[in-house]
Every structure is written in C-alpha cells, then in structure tokens.
Amino acid sequence: MKPLKHTLLLLITIISFTSCDFLDDYTGGPTPDKKPLIIAHRGAQSLLPEHTLQGYVKAIELGADFIEPDLVLTKDGHLVVRHEPMLSGTTNVADLPEFTNLKTTKELDGKMVTDWFAIDFTLAQIKTLKARQAFGSRPKDFDDQFDIPTFEEVILLAKKQSIKGGKTIGIYPEIKHPLFHNNFFGTHVMENKLLYTLKKAGLNRKNAPVFVQCFEVEPLQYINSKSPVKLVQLISTYNINKDGSLDYNVPSGDFISYGSPFDFYSNGDSRTYEFFTTEEGMKFTATYADGIGPWKPFIISYKTEESGELTLLPATDFISLAHKNNLLVHPYTFRNENTQWSGGNPEREYHLFFDAGVDGLFTDYTDEAVKALETWRD
C-alpha cells in the first residue's frame, strides 16, 4: 500500500505542477477584473536583498501579480538572476579572496567598468556568492544569507507559489545587455537560452503569464520571430531638464544605453529613446512588442523652479499613443525614496499614474502599491 500511495501522491503533484498555469486565457494585461498589474521590481527589494528566492516569496506574500528577474549569463552559459553583469554591488564577491583575480575591466554599453563580471564565473562559482542589499538606506539584516538563483529556480518558485496561493504569479524577465553577452558567446545565444528555458518550463506561448523585456531592440525582434511570448520594449532617458523635458544626451564615457538602445548605437542608428514616444515609434514598437516600459517621466514629468521646488506637469500623450497602437504601458520604478512625484505621499504617486491609465507598474514597495490600488479603486 505504501508504494501505491506514494505513486498516487507523486502523480497528483506532477499533474498539479504541470497545470500550474491554470489561467489558460491569461493575457498578461491588466488582471481579469481590469486592475493594473503590480510587478515586484527585483523581488521585495525594499526589505530583502534583491533577486533572491526569499525576496520573491516575500513579494508574492505582499500581493505581487508578477515578479521580475533580471538575467545575465555565466561563463558556462547559465542564466542567473542579477541586476547587472557586475557583481560587487549586490553580492559579497569583493570579500572573497579566491575571486580576486577575476576582477577585470570591460566595456559595457560604451563605458569602461572595473568589477567582477558574472560572465567570468561558472555557475558553481556563482553559487558560492551571497546576496547583499544594494541600497545603503535599506535594511541590511539579511546580507550574506541568500544564494544567487538561476532563472529556472525563479520559474519553479513562481509555479509553486501559484499552486500554493491559488493565484497565477507571472514572471517578467529582463535580458540584460544581450549585445554585450553575445559578443562573448555568439549571435543570439542569450535570447536562445531564454527561449529554451521558457519552452522547457511550458511557458513559450502567448497566453503564458510571462513578459520578456529589454532595453535593446533587435533581441526583442529576434525573439518575436521565434516565439509567441509577450514582449516589452524598455525605454530610458539620461536626465530631466529643468523645464521637465527629457534629455537623451549621454556624456562621453557613460552608458550609452541611458539614452539610446545600444544596438541602435552600435549599428550607426542615431535614434534615441525619444523615437519611441512618437506615433512612428509606437507603430514601430507594435511590430514586435506587446508593450512598452518607460521611466516614469515619459508619462508624468516635473519641472524644477528657480527656488528648487518641483512642480508636476500634466500627463503626456504617451499612454494614449501606446494604447492607440495596442501597446500595454508598464512604467518603472516606484520607490518611496524618490519623492519627486509623491511629495512624500507614495499613495498619491500611485494614484497619479493609475489615473493616467497605466496597465501595470514596477515597484520596490509591493505592499504599498497593492494598498494604493485598493484605495484608488474605492
């Protein structure tokens, strides 16, 4: 009886697990009752070290609809979850003498950077590192306790948490600097690794609870040609001018990707991210993507008065243009520490952007975003 009972339990577990995407009609837009999505930016980043399994679990407990893993490649070709290819800002790598010789200088999106790069570490070596809080003003109580997860581990966690909580938890991976990584591995290797992992997990389909995002353009176009998975074009700007206009001019020696898609720049294309704010740019984006992910001032900017006081400007036509071209809009990043929009009242900031018509947003403070959504709907 015991072997039979064990077999039956195993079969039930497998059936439950493989059918964990139980909302088969899920589209990844606003939730079924039209609420904007709450996307946990790098996990529960305000409480725990970012991009850790523990942080993702916490974000889900706080009410996130999606969790965001940023993806970089290891030396032996594994997708691991870090905000950047550089490791010193979010791990204890600098304290480990066995890795002293792996500190190098590389060019990343036009800037020379000296650090420890994930691309020089095997997965086994990455697994000896521990995560640290990236923000100096946030709790460091859990530094050096949590491992660096792989993309596969995050997918598995999302599936298990979906079953446990009875709510589909989506994943929102960002492929970081694919041109940089593919210069080491070969054309489209990073994109193919992503597609392989999604397919293996049963998530390489249009109605899967998945968005793939990137600041570069060609990698998304490539993925679109190979997969029906939902895609989001990220856009940024270097600075906000005093009058509230956006400045795309990146000083020499800084990251070109602050103002332009790096693949555009590398191919001699002079278009900046400003292009994506135009009717032409939105139509272009809609040929390969399902959504667009702007920094907040693309939607609501602010001007700096002579006194230094900040004045919020009316919402731009960004969202209406995006929606006209059937693009979802998911702005980033909502942080209590950034008071330009909130004036010290985060709920007010969330309400501003919900009123503007966003389809979802990235937040470091998932619980506050969830509460603000509830009060906005009331």
Side-chain angles (χ1 to χ4, degrees):
M1 287 298 294
K2 286 185 177 180
L4 178 59
K5 182 178 180 181
H6 176 77
T7 302
L8 288 172
L9 287 172
L10 181 60
L11 284 171
I12 292 169
T13 302
I14 291 172
I15 291 169
S16 300
F17 182 79
T18 55
S19 63
C20 71
D21 298 318
F22 42 79
L23 295 181
D24 288 336
D25 295 326
Y26 187 78
T27 63
T31 51
D33 57 355
K34 304 303 181 184
K35 293 189 303 181
L37 297 173
I38 303 302
I39 306 155
H41 185 240
R42 311 184 206 169
Q45 194 191 27
S46 61
L47 300 171
L48 298 171
E50 64 185 47
H51 292 319
T52 59
L53 296 181
Q54 293 80 2
Y56 290 126
V57 169
K58 187 63 178 178
I60 293 166
E61 290 173 350
L62 295 175
D65 299 307
F66 275 71
I67 54 176
E68 184 215 24
D70 292 330
L71 305 179
V72 300
L73 278 170
T74 64
K75 184 178 182 179
D76 45 352
H78 293 274
L79 289 169
V80 294
V81 184
R82 288 291 88 192
H83 179 54
E84 294 288 357
M86 299 83 75
L87 298 171
S88 67
T90 61
T91 75
N92 64 339
V93 66
D95 295 342
L96 302 178
E98 62 267 35
F99 297 132
T100 300
N101 65 325
L102 292 183
K103 187 176 186 180
T104 62
T105 299
K106 302 185 193 298
E107 183 177 347
L108 180 67
D109 290 6
K111 182 173 183 175
M112 301 306 297
V113 180
T114 300
D115 208 296
W116 289 264
F117 287 80
I119 205 166
D120 294 323
F121 287 67
T122 64
L123 178 59
Q125 290 173 317
I126 289 287
K127 284 297 187 178
T128 67
L129 305 179
K130 297 297 180 181
R132 286 183 175 176
Q133 174 61 256
F135 285 75
S137 61
R138 293 178 177 176
K140 295 185 178 295
D141 308 53
F142 297 93
D143 280 7
D144 300 344
Q145 295 187 34
F146 305 143
D147 294 339
I148 312 306
T150 64
F151 184 34
E152 289 179 327
E153 289 172 329
V154 173
I155 292 174
L156 181 59
L157 178 144
K159 289 186 171 188
K160 287 182 175 179
Q161 291 294 313
S162 295
I163 295 170
K164 180 180 178 181
K167 168 189 172 181
T168 298
I169 302 301
I171 57 169
Y172 209 125
E174 179 186 347
I175 47 174
K176 305 292 292 192
H177 311 282
L179 191 58
F180 167 82
H181 286 99
N182 292 337
N183 280 339
F184 289 89
F185 285 102
T187 305
H188 297 140
V189 168
M190 190 176 203
E191 298 94 308
N192 287 333
K193 295 274 187 183
L194 171 86
L195 291 173
Y196 172 79
T197 306
L198 290 177
K199 183 177 180 180
K200 183 179 176 182
L203 296 173
N204 190 18
R205 50 190 171 83
K206 190 70 173 183
N207 64 353
V210 177
F211 284 101
V212 175
Q213 56 179 330
C214 188
F215 280 101
E216 294 174 22
V217 175
E218 196 277 337
L220 292 176
Q221 292 174 321
Y222 174 79
I223 293 172
N224 182 58
S225 73
K226 301 291 183 181
S227 168
V229 71
K230 294 181 295 296
L231 305 174
V232 173
Q233 177 66 61
L234 295 173
I235 63 172
S236 179
T237 185
Y238 185 73
N239 201 5
I240 303 173
N241 295 318
K242 285 189 174 183
D243 64 358
S245 61
L246 305 184
D247 179 8
Y248 303 91
N249 298 305
V250 177
S252 177
D254 210 338
F255 294 112
I256 291 162
S257 50
Y258 283 155
S260 307
F262 189 64
D263 57 319
F264 273 18
Y265 172 85
S266 298
N267 292 324
D269 189 331
S270 62
R271 288 176 294 178
T272 68
Y273 287 119
E274 184 175 24
F275 167 71
F276 296 88
T277 69
T278 67
E279 179 83 43
E280 180 187 3
M282 292 286 187
K283 288 181 178 177
F284 170 76
T285 305
T287 63
Y288 62 90
D290 302 272
I292 189 162
W295 186 29
K296 293 183 292 186
F298 282 91
I299 298 171
I300 300 174
S301 190
Y302 56 83
K303 66 178 180 178
T304 306
E305 309 290 354
E306 290 301 320
S307 63
E309 184 180 353
L310 303 181
T311 302
L312 290 180
L313 298 176
T316 67
D317 65 351
F318 187 94
I319 291 178
S320 61
L321 272 179
H323 287 171
K324 179 181 176 182
N325 287 280
N326 298 312
L327 293 169
L328 298 166
V329 180
H330 296 162
Y332 65 89
T333 302
F334 288 73
R335 295 183 170 116
N336 289 6
E337 296 89 344
N338 300 146
T339 59
Q340 301 98 311
W341 291 269
S342 69
N345 181 356
E347 182 184 53
R348 173 175 175 263
E349 178 182 359
Y350 288 113
H351 287 187
L352 278 172
F353 283 85
F354 292 146
D355 287 341
V358 301
D359 302 293
L361 54 80
F362 289 85
T363 179
D364 285 2
Y365 291 81
T366 297
D367 53 340
E368 297 199 28
V370 170
K371 290 176 184 176
L373 182 56
E374 291 174 355
T375 58
W376 177 72
R377 298 180 79 211
D378 292 340

